[in-house]
């Protein structure tokens, strides 16, 4: 019997890194040295004689918001799947982050709210890391680039070299001069704006199929001084999600995390044309009524001005089922799929793509042929993550556009709402739901008949949404 997508996903989440290095390529070239590129480089270090990362941006040793990664100013929660993999590839990563001032939290130490109702708490072991994105990236980079066979070259990648149906090298400019580096395996990690699909088209290969979903949203984040150490806080963070019209000022979501340097990062998000805060004072005002921790988080002095970020759409590229695709080329991270960021899945997706790369290379593949097995595994991950993020966005879009929704889709959405509602009063259901939301399990587990029956039993007999029956959080 073929392995189910649930089992494939489990295997990718819970695999162990190889015990020893086994090289299957001489030179692997990673294009882009952000988080997805670094995680791919970590995997490649176990399978390549040398790994060269080509990155256009300056990569300072200290955490700073990089020019090429403007989302670095916005809240980044590193969710459980990413934490687990970082601790396996870079042993001691969580402890190192805590030493650097980040917060490692279990979900029951964190408040999750839907329209003002708090999700039930349980004795979960689902860990997240709360930190500024520049700190997360810098700590990963310092560890990965310290590996003896990994080097970083500063350069702007401008194209690929092809020969005999395979990628054979990379063109880039460095110090004003055009360069070519030959490579036995190339990994595109240049983010959502990667030009690799154009370069494939120009070389008359098939381009991956681009799927887009409009998710116009605006982030606004500010950072505040924090008076209390994390162990004296009632919660280490809070995320408050709002259905359309359920919060003042067009607020879709608000989040605060206790991060390094004794600071809070506080972010508010509005959909479509809504911009819930343009100034620090507006941000303080909009989060004040939501949950007491927000008042605590915004009571200190602002450590920097408010920073905004606008995103227009979620997008994914399909690399399976193409007729002609070069060998020795794979893509990872946002270059493959960049989702609505409110679900906090980007870094953990990149970690699971790297897990796909590890599984692929361990299979000692025939590298004269395209990396179909890699893309097959990666599609399981992208489908799973897309199912979680895109279904909510599509529902919002349908409601905005007044679109008639097919019966089966409507039923699926109602089932999802029932799970969210049941999780407000049942801690075990909350844990199982969060295992999916935080990417430890495939969303297919939520359709398991026993789980569905438990959700029904909790929600049975309620006249309307259980959310109406759950106590409002105080
Ligand atoms: C507002 C916002 C909030 C987010 N919040 C979260 C969160 O809470 N949790 C989470 O897990 N994820 C979050 N994400 C997603 C996360 O930021 C990304 O998924 C993650 O950074 C991985 O991205 P990446 O490495 O694939 O690409 P990027 O981080 O975009 O990096 C691409 C890299 O490629 C380099 N590059 C590009 N072109 C070239 C070229 N031609 N030559 C050389 N180098 C090149 C760039 O300089 C850059 O370093 C958020 C994203 C946004 C936008």
């Amino acid at each position: 019997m073929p392995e189910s997508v649930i089992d494939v996903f489990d295997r990718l989440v819970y695999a162990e890194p190889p015990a020893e290095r086994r090289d299957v390529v001489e030179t692997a070239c990673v294009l882009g040295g952000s988080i997805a590129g670094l995680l791919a480089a970590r995997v490649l270090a176990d399978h390549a004689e040398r790994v060269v990362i080509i990155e256009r941006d300056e990569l300072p040793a200290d955490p700073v918001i990089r020019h090429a990664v403007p989302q670095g100013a916005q809240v980044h929660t590193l969710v459980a799947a990413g934490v687990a993999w970082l601790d396996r590839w870079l042993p001691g990563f969580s402890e190192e982050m805590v030493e650097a001032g980040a917060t490692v939290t279990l979900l029951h130490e964190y408040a999750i709210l839907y329209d003002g109702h708090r999700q039930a708490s349980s004795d979960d072991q689902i860990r997240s890391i709360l930190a500024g994105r520049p700190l997360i990236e810098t700590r990963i980079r310092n560890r990965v680039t310290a590996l003896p066979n990994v080097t970083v070259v500063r350069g702007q990648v401008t194209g690929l070299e092809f020969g005999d149906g395979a990628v054979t090298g990379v063109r880039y400019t460095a110090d004003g001069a055009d360069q070519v580096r030959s490579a036995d395996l190339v990994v595109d990690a240049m983010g959502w704006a990667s030009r690799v699909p154009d370069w494939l088209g120009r070389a008359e290969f098939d381009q991956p199929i681009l799927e887009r979903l409009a998710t116009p949203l605006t982030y606004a984040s500010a950072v505040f001084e924090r008076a209390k150490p994390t162990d004296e806080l009632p919660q280490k963070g809070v995320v408050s999600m709002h259905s359309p019209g359920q919060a003042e000022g067009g607020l879709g979501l608000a989040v605060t995390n206790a991060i390094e340097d004794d600071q809070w990062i506080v972010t508010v998000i509005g959909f479509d044309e809504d911009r819930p805060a343009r100034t620090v004072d507006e941000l303080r005002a909009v989060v004040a009524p939501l949950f007491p921790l927000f008042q605590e988080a915004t009571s200190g002095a602002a450590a920097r001005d408010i920073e905004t970020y606008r995103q227009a759409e979620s997008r994914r590229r399909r690399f399976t089922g193409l007729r002609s695709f070069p060998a020795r080329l794979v893509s990872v991270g946002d270059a493959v799929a960049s989702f609505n960021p409110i679900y906090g899945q980007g870094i953990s997706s990149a970690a699971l793509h790297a897990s796909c790369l590890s599984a692929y290379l361990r299979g000692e593949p025939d590298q004269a042929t395209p990396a179909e097995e890699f893309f097959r595994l990666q599609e399981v991950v992208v489908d799973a993550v897309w199912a979680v993020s895109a279904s909510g966005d599509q529902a919002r879009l349908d409601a905005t556009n007044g679109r008639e929704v097919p019966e089966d889709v409507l039923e699926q959405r109602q089932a999802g709402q029932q799970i969210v509602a049941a999780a407000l009063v049942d801690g075990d259901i909350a844990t199982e739901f969060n295992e999916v939301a935080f990417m430890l399990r495939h969303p297919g587990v939520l359709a398991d008949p026993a789980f569905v029956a438990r959700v029904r039993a909790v929600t049975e007999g309620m006249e309307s949404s259980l959310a109406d029956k759950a106590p409002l959080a105080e």
Side-chain angles (χ1 to χ4, degrees):
M1 220 170 58
E3 200 181 11
S4 73
V5 287
I6 293 175
D7 290 343
V8 173
F9 195 84
D10 277 352
R11 176 157 65 85
L12 293 169
V13 171
Y14 294 103
E16 285 294 327
E20 57 191 38
R21 193 173 139 187
R22 178 180 280 192
D23 294 348
V24 293
V25 288
E26 278 181 27
T27 303
C29 215
V30 179
L31 319 183
S34 182
I35 291 176
L38 291 165
L39 295 177
R42 167 63 193 86
V43 164
L44 289 163
D46 288 335
H47 299 285
E49 264 177 46
R50 67 193 80 81
V51 183
V52 181
I53 300 172
I54 306 179
E55 165 59 49
R56 65 181 173 189
D57 213 9
E58 193 181 344
L59 298 177
D62 294 325
V64 291
I65 298 163
R66 284 203 287 126
H67 172 72
V69 185
Q71 73 265 32
Q74 307 300 328
V75 69
H76 270 66
T77 302
L78 178 52
V79 303
V83 177
W85 262 121
L86 279 160
D87 278 335
R88 267 175 268 153
W89 276 317
L90 309 173
F93 180 80
S94 288
E95 288 78 10
E96 204 184 302
M97 288 296 286
V98 171
E99 274 165 33
T103 306
V104 175
T105 180
L106 294 172
L107 274 187
H108 62 259
E109 304 164 316
Y110 198 94
I112 301 177
L113 299 129
Y114 294 88
D115 292 335
H117 304 273
R118 187 166 176 187
Q119 194 183 68
S121 172
S122 72
D123 189 18
D124 69 84
Q125 291 301 312
I126 302 176
R127 291 201 302 163
S128 304
I129 294 182
L130 315 179
R133 188 187 183 293
L135 180 66
I136 300 172
E137 182 184 312
T138 311
R139 292 291 161 153
I140 298 172
R141 184 166 66 240
N142 291 348
R143 293 284 300 273
V144 172
T145 56
L147 296 169
N149 55 345
V150 176
T151 51
V152 181
V153 170
R154 184 148 182 218
Q156 169 98 18
V157 179
T158 53
L160 298 173
E161 296 276 299
F162 298 95
D164 290 336
V167 170
T168 56
V170 178
R171 291 200 294 273
Y172 65 101
T173 51
D175 299 323
D178 292 336
Q179 317 260 356
V180 175
R181 180 173 288 264
S182 49
D184 308 297
L185 179 63
V186 171
V187 178
D188 171 21
M190 290 187 285
W192 69 271
S194 168
R195 297 196 47 226
V196 163
D198 300 339
W199 301 337
L200 287 170
R202 260 190 250 154
E204 300 191 354
F205 288 103
D206 281 354
Q207 292 180 309
I209 295 148
L210 179 63
E211 203 175 309
R212 313 160 89 152
L213 178 66
T215 44
L217 49 82
T218 304
Y219 268 60
S221 292
V223 173
F224 298 90
E225 286 170 12
R226 171 158 56 88
K228 286 186 192 158
T230 38
D231 52 9
E232 288 178 21
L233 296 170
Q235 297 87 25
K236 293 174 179 164
V238 51
V239 58
S240 178
M241 294 168 244
H242 304 275
S243 315
Q246 291 293 314
E248 290 295 314
L251 185 67
L253 186 138
V255 54
T256 184
N257 285 343
I259 61 168
E260 70 273 14
D261 299 331
D262 295 323
Q263 291 178 331
W264 292 103
I265 187 164
V266 183
T267 298
V268 291
I269 299 164
F271 289 92
D272 301 316
E273 298 311 312
D274 288 328
R275 284 169 174 68
R278 289 177 168 84
T279 65
V280 169
D281 285 342
E282 280 178 11
L283 183 137
R284 280 194 174 106
V286 81
V287 299
L290 299 177
F291 188 72
L293 195 72
F294 279 113
Q295 287 178 25
E296 172 142 6
T298 53
S299 61
R304 64 159 208 229
D305 203 359
I306 200 158
E307 297 266 2
T308 58
Y309 184 94
R310 177 107 179 123
Q311 175 153 322
E313 60 183 18
S314 298
R315 42 164 70 190
R316 63 176 291 183
R317 293 191 170 101
R318 289 185 187 274
F319 290 80
T320 53
L322 302 177
R323 279 175 302 107
S324 92
F325 196 81
R328 299 179 181 273
L329 174 69
V330 300
S331 292
V332 294
D334 285 15
V336 176
S338 61
F339 306 98
N340 177 343
I342 67 169
Y343 300 96
Q345 297 162 314
I347 298 172
S348 296
S349 289
L352 292 181
H353 295 181
S355 175
C356 297
L357 187 59
S358 175
Y360 168 69
L361 292 173
R362 271 196 265 183
E364 302 193 9
D366 171 8
Q367 288 178 52
T369 61
E372 280 171 14
E373 174 60 8
F374 168 81
F375 289 119
R376 187 187 69 79
L377 293 173
Q378 188 183 53
E379 190 165 64
V380 172
V381 174
V382 178
D383 282 348
V385 180
W386 189 260
V388 171
S389 83
S391 60
D393 291 329
Q394 187 64 59
R396 184 179 290 273
L397 210 59
D398 291 342
T400 312
N401 299 337
R403 177 175 163 254
E404 199 169 321
V405 181
E407 197 59 35
D408 58 326
V409 176
L410 215 52
E411 276 170 22
Q412 270 175 19
R413 287 182 190 166
Q414 279 161 355
Q417 282 165 2
Q418 288 296 301
I419 296 171
V420 169
L424 297 178
V425 292
D426 186 311
D428 292 338
I429 289 177
T431 298
E432 287 185 51
F433 175 59
N434 289 333
E435 281 175 349
V436 170
F438 296 103
M439 299 173 63
L440 293 171
R441 302 295 318 275
H442 188 278
V445 300
L446 301 180
D448 176 74
F451 180 73
V452 172
R454 277 169 44 217
V455 169
R456 277 218 192 98
V458 171
T459 55
E460 218 165 44
M462 298 290 168
E463 286 159 21
S464 58
S465 157
L466 191 67
D468 295 340
K469 307 287 174 191
L472 275 171
E474 289 176 358

